[in-house]
Amino acid sequence: MRVNRIMIFVSVILFGILLVQINQTNQLKKQYMTKQADYKKQQVNYQTKQTVVSQPNLQKINLSSSQTRVRQFIDLVQNNKATDYVHLLPDYTNTTIINKLTNTLAPSVQNVTLAHYDVPVVAISKQWQDKVDYLVIAKSDVQSVAWRVTYDVTNQKVTDVARLPLKGVFDNEK
């Protein structure tokens, strides 16, 4: 009788240990899966960093060509009528950006009748992976206009454009 009780007690303890081990195995599987996913993400990040670091000349060439395209884009926007954007800008951007520019500039500004704009400044504001934010200044004899242009280096297209206010130049005038 005493042996039976001892056997039951030992089997209950072993059963409890077995349940704890099974529970820990499930938790360890979940942890393993999350760590494996994190590892894969880190590998991809490492490979892209290696590409950027190992090919700085390629990055420099891409940025140089993208600066040229952004300069040409703003030159076309500033020196042509808004109604002509549909024909002039498809190589540089998508129809959403063309419509945005047409709707914001057509009612109020006729750039062609005012003056010819030069684009002396195309500066990198931010760069992340394949996208670059540029600050672009277009100048004429009458005024200067600032633009923030987001450019996708991979697709070679302008993905966003916004006209920025220039402050401080004519604050004293009333």
Side-chain angles (χ1 to χ4, degrees):
M1 184 97 147
R2 192 169 249 236
V3 174
N4 285 341
R5 284 185 181 178
I6 291 174
M7 290 299 282
I8 291 173
F9 180 71
V10 169
S11 58
V12 167
I13 288 176
L14 288 175
F15 184 72
I17 291 172
L18 181 65
L19 287 177
V20 169
Q21 290 298 320
I22 290 173
N23 189 22
Q24 285 182 347
T25 304
N26 288 336
Q27 289 177 353
L28 287 174
K29 276 185 185 178
K30 289 178 187 175
Q31 288 177 357
Y32 174 73
M33 296 302 250
T34 57
K35 292 297 180 187
Q36 192 175 23
D38 290 343
Y39 176 70
K40 286 181 182 178
K41 286 179 189 175
Q42 291 298 331
Q43 261 187 327
V44 169
N45 287 341
Y46 177 74
Q47 289 171 351
T48 55
K49 287 177 186 175
Q50 284 298 104
T51 302
V52 170
V53 171
S54 67
Q55 299 173 349
N57 291 335
L58 181 63
Q59 294 295 322
K60 187 176 179 181
I61 291 168
N62 286 346
L63 286 178
S64 174
S65 65
S66 66
Q67 276 183 319
T68 304
R69 290 213 17 114
V70 167
R71 182 180 309 252
Q72 292 168 348
F73 174 77
I74 293 298
D75 189 46
L76 287 172
V77 168
Q78 284 296 138
N79 293 316
N80 291 292
K81 293 180 183 178
T83 55
D84 295 337
Y85 291 165
V86 176
H87 306 294
L88 296 173
L89 300 179
D91 292 340
Y92 294 93
T93 188
N94 57 27
T95 55
T96 307
I97 301 298
I98 294 172
N99 289 338
K100 178 180 174 183
L101 287 170
T102 304
N103 292 336
T104 56
L105 296 180
S108 61
V109 178
Q110 291 297 325
N111 295 327
V112 177
T113 59
L114 293 177
H116 176 75
Y117 283 85
D118 292 322
V119 185
V121 178
V122 178
I124 297 172
S125 176
K126 293 179 191 174
Q127 178 183 7
W128 63 97
Q129 296 207 346
D130 294 338
K131 303 251 188 221
V132 182
D133 263 357
Y134 286 102
L135 176 65
V136 183
I137 305 291
K139 292 180 78 171
S140 73
D141 294 335
V142 179
Q143 72 179 31
S144 296
V145 179
W147 295 88
R148 183 189 46 78
V149 178
T150 304
Y151 188 79
D152 185 357
V153 178
T154 311
N155 298 325
Q156 297 183 348
K157 297 276 185 182
V158 173
T159 58
D160 190 24
V161 66
R163 198 167 177 175
L164 303 173
L166 287 174
K167 295 194 176 205
V169 180
F170 301 107
D171 285 347
N172 296 335
E173 294 184 12
K174 302 216 182 224

